[in-house]
Amino acid sequence: MAATEHTQVKTIEEFAHQPEEYKDAVRKIVRSHAINELYGAQVFDEPAIALAPTPYAKWLTCRVAMEEYGHHVRFKELGEQIGVPEEQLVYRPGGAKRPLSIFDFPLKTWEEFCVTKLIGDLAEILQVEDLLHCTFHPLRNLARMTMPEERFHAQFGEDFCTDLMEAKGGRAEVQAALDKVFPSMPAFFGRPGSKNNEMFRRWGIKLRTNEEMREDYIRRARDLVEGKLGLELPDVTPQAA
Ligand SMILES: [Fe+2]
Ligand SMILES: [Fe+2]
């Protein structure tokens, strides 16, 4: 379904005059991005600075952490502008808003972090791509702004995984990290037949179904991991958990 079939909502002002369902749908997406960007930065990117093995790696990891916190800040600002209560835009332990389950594994090693950037940020890239033609232009613009940074994070993952694999025993360590991290990734794309996803597409906020995105993700992850890096992508059933 082309986004051109839908009304384009160019400003926050115009947003205020949209049907309730449209406003709810946009708020849901912005809220989920604000929370997941914050939680990811807290549990992965910031702790990874301490795990980074060299000053150069620490420098680039700081940049990644800075940008992920930045994504949270921008999504939170947008959320506030469209009437989402502040407490729904931040993650607090035990709070009402839970981040996605993919963030549930505790990050222990530098290898796990590099693999998380390699394939976790590929998943983020797909999510952001899906918003590039969103009918709500402030959200589309935010997606366009964050995209080069998400690409940098995935490239960071690829570059450091490549470095790690050149060291003795490194290939097996990266493969082990991949075996640990990858299986929870496909669930990032949500449940098949999701009502929310159907609503997002009906309003031209998102373009693709969860199933289409998950299949595309697994295909692109396989090209990257097997085609480019010569590792093995763990077998996963293409279903949400
Ligand atoms: Fe991000
Ligand atoms: Fe990222």
Side-chain angles (χ1 to χ4, degrees):
M1 187 191 296
T4 45
E5 291 170 33
H6 301 274
T7 311
Q8 301 295 310
V9 181
K10 299 204 171 87
T11 61
I12 306 285
E13 233 289 87
E14 286 177 21
F15 177 85
H17 301 108
Q18 299 309 306
E20 278 312 311
E21 194 187 54
Y22 183 87
K23 292 197 272 191
D24 274 355
V26 170
R27 285 179 185 135
K28 271 197 174 113
I29 295 218
V30 172
R31 198 164 61 195
S32 129
H33 277 267
I35 287 176
N36 288 312
E37 291 283 3
L38 176 61
Y39 192 69
Q42 285 172 344
V43 301
F44 292 134
D45 305 284
E46 189 178 335
I49 299 168
L51 298 172
T54 63
Y56 176 73
K58 280 186 194 294
W59 172 46
L60 288 187
T61 307
C62 285
R63 178 174 155 190
V64 171
M66 181 192 81
E67 290 174 350
E68 300 292 22
Y69 275 115
H71 296 167
H72 162 71
V73 169
R74 293 188 198 130
F75 276 102
K76 179 169 180 278
E77 269 168 12
L78 181 58
E80 283 168 346
Q81 287 171 342
I82 60 174
V84 182
E86 204 251 349
E87 69 270 16
Q88 293 183 12
L89 293 163
V90 289
Y91 168 73
R92 290 196 182 93
K97 292 292 153 200
R98 291 265 311 127
L100 290 166
S101 58
I102 56 156
F103 298 124
D104 277 352
F105 90 91
L107 179 76
K108 293 209 186 79
T109 68
W110 173 242
E111 286 77 10
E112 287 168 7
F113 180 66
C114 296
V115 163
T116 301
K117 290 288 113 182
L118 176 79
I119 51 160
D121 285 58
L122 174 63
E124 276 198 70
I125 288 173
L126 265 93
Q127 294 286 2
V128 175
E129 274 174 358
D130 206 56
L131 294 176
L132 292 177
H133 304 283
C134 172
T135 50
F136 182 45
H137 291 210
L139 180 54
R140 171 198 286 203
N141 295 340
L142 193 45
R144 289 178 184 181
M145 210 195 298
T146 57
M147 185 54 113
E149 294 178 350
E150 295 302 2
R151 288 220 178 89
F152 164 68
H153 304 165
Q155 189 63 48
F156 168 107
E158 191 183 325
D159 292 348
F160 279 109
C161 282
T162 306
D163 282 359
L164 285 166
M165 282 160 54
E166 282 166 6
K168 194 164 177 283
R171 174 171 290 271
E173 278 174 25
V174 175
Q175 181 66 57
L178 195 59
D179 292 345
K180 190 170 166 200
V181 174
F182 184 73
S184 60
M185 288 295 161
F188 184 61
F189 296 94
R191 293 173 208 287
S194 147
K195 285 232 159 57
N196 277 340
N197 176 274
E198 191 271 322
M199 173 172 72
F200 299 147
R201 283 182 294 118
R202 190 150 28 83
W203 291 104
I205 297 164
K206 280 174 72 78
L207 294 174
R208 302 202 284 174
T209 65
N210 291 347
E211 295 89 316
E212 284 169 329
M213 289 189 61
R214 184 169 15 254
E215 267 173 39
D216 188 27
Y217 171 68
I218 293 173
R219 188 182 53 73
R220 283 161 73 172
R222 179 159 287 124
D223 285 352
L224 179 63
V225 165
E226 298 186 347
K228 214 165 169 191
L229 297 180
L231 295 166
E232 232 178 277
L233 195 72
D235 244 342
V236 286
T237 323
Q239 288 282 313

